[in-house]
Amino acid sequence: NGPVVLTAATTLDTSANDGTIDISSTINSSDATEDTLTLKSNGGSITVHGLIGGVKDIGALNINSTADSQTGAGAITLNGVGGSSSQIGITGAVNIGNNNTGSVTLADGGTYYNLDGDATITTTNVADKIIIGDAITIKNANHKVEFLRGGITLNADGHDLTIDAGTGAVTLTDIGGHSSEVIDIAGGTITAAVIGNADEIKSVKLDSSTKVVLGGNITTSNTTGNNVDIDGPAELAANITISTKANDGSIDFDGKIDSSDTNNRTLTLTTAGGNVSIGGLIGSTNDLGNLAINNDETGNTGTIALSGIGNDGSAEGVSAAAGVTGTVDIGHTATKGIDLSGGYYHIDGATVLTTAANDGATPANTDIIDFEAATTFKTVGDDISFVGGGISAAADGANITITT
């Protein structure tokens, strides 16, 4: 009971039986020496009720960790590290939990986790075992933040999750929410799994300086601003569906989209009133399988903007290649416009682009399939169909070449 001050590397160990470890208050190093802390239990829980390193940062932290060859199943609860954006609480590696750990809770006593070292949280491989107990921010100074095995749950209203790893990689397990929580992740390579289901997650932002690897579907809830924003090159490690159609959310990719390997991954994007925008080439490195954007429901009124499909072979040593091997079905009879920029669309499959008859404005514009630059649009012997609104060369020199 009371504040803990580390004067040397310290280990607390109850793993001989089922004893718990309970630290009622804060943990700090005694001076500028960053002393390490190791906590070990077997079936007993481990709880730190106060901030770690809120005054003087500690060194590496190990709690029942795989890195320390521990196998104890006791639940682990923390209440903040550092406590603010300006106070690093741990300088050194953070390893929390192992494959048997029953749960890890980042609790409501501390909303900031400020680290300077690789961080890994591991639990048993079951849903909702990494518990976000408040709106929290995890900040790491260009080191990885990694969640392994157990699913992440934002288990009450407002328990938003923000991670800023600088250039460090971020690895996520499946994420579920309670009622319209916000996910905001920034880092180097970001590897995501399933995010959201029904009305769990309000919005998702994945902002990568390297690439975003998508390994599961993303679904946002029925609330205003239920947007999905993917910044940085994206790779599909599975067949992916992203849906904001429960409300007015947009879907925005600011970079290119590829399959993560030679498997042709499918991509389905669905909104209602929200726009869809892809700012980079689709399949310029590894082609996708079927591509569907707002093709299946009459309520999809948002506009769709693309920047090219495939590789035109203009780079030295690179051959022209299709960016989608499979069908392409873009738009529906309520879509208010399709904008095609980038100049090159190469598809190995039947292709359909559909809009409403006009944009619904007063006066109405009927030419709403817009080619924004000189463009080659080609398939590998497959049909190309434009349905609904008229085709427009929307800029000087926007010559259109269509080849099947």
Side-chain angles (χ1 to χ4, degrees):
N1 292 325
V4 171
V5 177
L6 306 180
T7 60
T10 301
T11 297
L12 303 179
D13 187 351
T14 68
S15 62
N17 208 293
D18 61 355
T20 63
I21 298 175
D22 189 279
I23 298 173
S24 70
S25 187
T26 58
I27 302 173
N28 290 283
S29 292
S30 61
D31 53 31
T33 302
E34 292 144 354
D35 298 304
T36 64
L37 178 62
T38 300
L39 305 178
K40 303 178 182 181
S41 74
N42 191 359
S45 63
I46 297 177
T47 303
V48 180
H49 294 273
L51 274 178
I52 298 172
V55 178
K56 290 185 181 297
D57 54 327
I58 72 169
L61 175 66
N62 284 290
I63 303 178
N64 274 357
S65 72
T66 300
D68 199 31
S69 301
Q70 297 302 298
T71 59
I76 299 169
T77 301
L78 301 180
N79 280 279
V81 175
S84 71
S85 61
S86 60
Q87 174 62 34
I88 293 172
I90 299 174
T91 301
V94 176
N95 289 287
I96 298 171
N98 61 76
N99 290 354
N100 299 317
T101 298
S103 66
V104 173
T105 300
L106 306 180
D108 57 4
T111 60
Y112 218 99
Y113 292 75
N114 194 340
L115 315 171
D116 188 358
D118 287 350
T120 301
I121 295 176
T122 308
T123 70
T124 183
N125 192 18
V126 179
D128 300 344
K129 291 300 182 180
I130 300 170
I131 300 163
I132 306 303
D134 201 340
I136 72 165
T137 296
I138 299 172
K139 181 180 180 182
N140 206 340
N142 301 319
H143 297 281
K144 73 176 181 179
V145 175
E146 184 176 44
F147 299 91
L148 299 179
R149 291 171 58 83
I152 300 167
T153 176
L154 285 54
N155 70 338
D157 287 347
H159 288 198
D160 303 335
L161 177 60
T162 300
I163 299 174
D164 182 359
T167 59
V170 179
T171 301
L172 305 169
T173 53
D174 291 353
I175 299 177
H178 179 269
S179 178
S180 299
E181 281 68 53
V182 173
I183 305 291
D184 190 346
I185 311 295
T189 297
I190 298 172
T191 302
V194 173
I195 301 177
N197 180 49
D199 278 342
E200 294 181 350
I201 301 298
K202 175 182 178 179
S203 62
V204 176
K205 182 175 183 180
L206 305 176
D207 185 356
S208 170
S209 58
T210 307
K211 63 181 178 180
V212 176
V213 181
L214 299 176
N217 296 337
I218 300 175
T219 305
T220 59
S221 58
N222 184 11
T223 186
T224 300
N226 62 325
N227 305 318
V228 174
D229 187 3
I230 311 293
D231 293 338
E235 293 184 357
L236 310 184
N239 296 332
I240 298 297
T241 296
I242 298 175
S243 176
T244 68
K245 69 179 182 179
N247 206 285
D248 62 354
S250 61
I251 298 174
D252 184 84
F253 289 80
D254 82 342
K256 66 174 188 169
I257 305 173
D258 288 292
S259 294
S260 63
D261 53 30
T262 56
N263 292 303
N264 305 129
R265 315 291 190 185
T266 65
L267 179 62
T268 302
L269 306 178
T270 306
T271 69
N275 299 332
V276 175
S277 177
I278 299 175
L281 292 174
I282 296 171
S284 62
T285 303
N286 287 322
D287 49 330
L288 273 58
N290 298 338
L291 173 65
I293 303 177
N294 280 353
N295 64 311
D296 213 19
E297 297 184 32
T298 57
N300 302 128
T301 60
T303 61
I304 299 167
L306 303 180
S307 299
I309 296 176
N311 197 313
D312 64 5
S314 60
E316 184 176 352
V318 176
S319 300
V324 174
T325 300
T327 61
V328 171
D329 195 349
I330 296 172
H332 201 277
T333 54
T335 299
K336 297 301 184 183
I338 297 175
D339 291 333
L340 302 172
S341 61
Y344 189 78
Y345 291 78
H346 189 172
I347 300 157
D348 188 357
T351 299
V352 180
L353 286 79
T354 305
T355 68
N358 59 69
D359 62 2
T362 304
N365 178 18
T366 58
D367 293 333
I368 57 175
I369 301 175
D370 293 339
F371 286 82
E372 304 291 345
T375 300
T376 296
F377 204 108
K378 61 189 291 187
T379 64
V380 185
D382 301 289
D383 293 345
I384 300 173
S385 301
F386 297 90
V387 180
I391 297 171
S392 170
D396 289 343
N399 302 319
I400 304 168
T401 302
I402 298 175
T403 305
T404 60

